[in-house]
Amino acid sequence: MTIASVTPAATVSSAERFFGGHASLPVMPEVGRKLLRSLDDDGVSLGQIAELIGKDSTLAAKVLRLANSARYSPSHTISTLQDAAMALGLETLRNLAMAASLTGTFPDVKGLDRQRFWRHSMRTAGYARLLAKLLQGDADTAYLAGLMLRTGQLMMAMTEPDQVADVEAHAGEPGSRFSLESSRFGCTHADVTAALAAHWHFPADLVEAFKDANVPLEVKPFSMLAAILHLSEVIADACEQNGDRIAALTTAVPELVEHLHLDLEFLRLRLDACGDPGQDVELMLK
C-alpha cells in the first residue's frame, strides 16, 4: 500500500488545520506529563510512580481496576497502589497509568467508536512494546508512542467527523488508513499526532517518529521507532479484523519486514504469548 506523495511543508500545514476553529487542543493532565518525564529518569522508583498516580483519584481508580483484571491474574485482590506497584512492576504500572491518563484526556467524538478506537490504540501500544524489545529499542517509549499514534485522528474527527468515519469504513486492509487519509486530507493521523505532540512539548525525536511513521523506509536517517509504529498499527488492524497478523505484515509492508530482518515465525510466537493488549479497554474507559 503506497501513500500519495505530499511535500513535507504541505503535510505540516494540512495537519495544523485540525488545531483551529472549534477543535480545542486537549490538555494533558499534569500527572501524565510527569509520567512522561519519568521515562528519562533511570533513578525513578516504584514508590515514586505509585505516589504520583495517587495524586489523581480518577487515575488511581482506573489503575487499580486494571491491576485486578484477568490479564494480570493477581493472586489476591489489589486494593492499594502500593500493592499494584509490587504486583505489576515499574514498567507495567507506568504504562497502565499513561494509558489511563491519555484515554481520559480526549472526549467522545463523532465519527469514531470510543471503545473500538482505544482498544486498537492499546493493541498498537502493546505490539510496539513487544517489537521494541525484539529490535533492541526503548520499550517504554515505544509503548507510549504506540498508544498515542492514532490520537491525531481524534483531532481530525473533531473537525471533519464524516470524512474520518468514511475513511474508517473503507480501511479494510491492514495499514490502509495511512494511504486513505493522505489522499483525503493531505496528511495522516500520524502527522496530526506529531503536531499534537509538538503542541504538548514532547521530545523532538518522538515528534519526528510520528511524522516518519507514515513511510518509514522513505525517511533518512531511518527511524527504528517510526518503523515499529507502522508495523504495530498494521498488526493491530489485522487483530481487529480477525486476520492473520503475520500475513498482514508480509502483504502490507514486505520491504519493511525485510529491511528489519524480522524473524516472522518467532514474532508469531511472541504475539501469541502476549495475548490481547486491548482486552481491558472497558475497564480503562469507565
Side-chain angles (χ1 to χ4, degrees), residues 8 20 36 57 82 96 109 146 148 151 157 168-169 201 215 232 237:
L36 172 64
S57 59
Q82 287 69 31
L96 287 180
V109 294
M148 277 198 64
T151 53
E168 286 303 295
H201 305 293
V215 280
S232 299
D237 286 349

Side-chain angles (χ1 to χ4, degrees), residues 135-204:
L135 296 168
Q136 286 77 54
D138 185 324
D140 287 338
T141 298
Y143 183 92
L144 171 63
L147 189 67
M148 277 198 64
L149 182 58
R150 276 184 68 194
T151 53
Q153 195 181 26
L154 293 171
M155 303 300 300
M156 298 164 82
M158 290 180 195
T159 303
E160 300 184 33
D162 293 337
Q163 295 272 41
V164 169
D166 189 60
V167 165
E168 286 303 295
H170 288 88
E173 299 175 20
S176 62
R177 186 179 293 106
F178 291 102
S179 181
L180 291 169
E181 288 175 342
S182 185
S183 298
R184 182 71 60 91
F185 301 107
C187 63
T188 74
H189 58 284
D191 295 313
V192 183
T193 298
L196 175 62
H199 281 290
W200 278 353
H201 305 293
F202 273 36

Side-chain angles (χ1 to χ4, degrees), residues 83-239:
D83 283 347
M86 296 305 296
L88 300 174
L90 176 60
E91 181 180 343
T92 300
L93 178 67
R94 181 165 51 192
N95 286 345
L96 287 180
M98 286 194 297
S101 179
L102 195 62
T103 56
T105 299
F106 294 88
D108 289 345
V109 294
K110 180 184 175 184
L112 290 170
D113 178 89
R114 181 173 174 79
Q115 190 172 113
R116 180 180 176 186
F117 177 91
W118 286 112
R119 180 180 291 109
H120 183 280
S121 294
M122 290 177 68
R123 284 171 173 163
T124 304
Y127 298 142
R129 176 175 176 267
L130 185 156
L131 284 167
K133 290 191 171 186
L134 291 180
L135 296 168
Q136 286 77 54
D138 185 324
D140 287 338
T141 298
Y143 183 92
L144 171 63
L147 189 67
M148 277 198 64
L149 182 58
R150 276 184 68 194
T151 53
Q153 195 181 26
L154 293 171
M155 303 300 300
M156 298 164 82
M158 290 180 195
T159 303
E160 300 184 33
D162 293 337
Q163 295 272 41
V164 169
D166 189 60
V167 165
E168 286 303 295
H170 288 88
E173 299 175 20
S176 62
R177 186 179 293 106
F178 291 102
S179 181
L180 291 169
E181 288 175 342
S182 185
S183 298
R184 182 71 60 91
F185 301 107
C187 63
T188 74
H189 58 284
D191 295 313
V192 183
T193 298
L196 175 62
H199 281 290
W200 278 353
H201 305 293
F202 273 36
D205 57 346
L206 195 51
V207 174
E208 289 302 314
F210 288 130
K211 291 179 184 177
D212 296 348
N214 296 303
V215 280
L217 282 179
E218 295 182 12
V219 180
K220 305 296 183 216
F222 179 75
S223 166
M224 179 64 76
L225 180 55
I228 286 170
L229 290 175
H230 196 108
L231 292 169
S232 299
E233 180 160 327
V234 171
I235 297 171
D237 286 349
C239 186

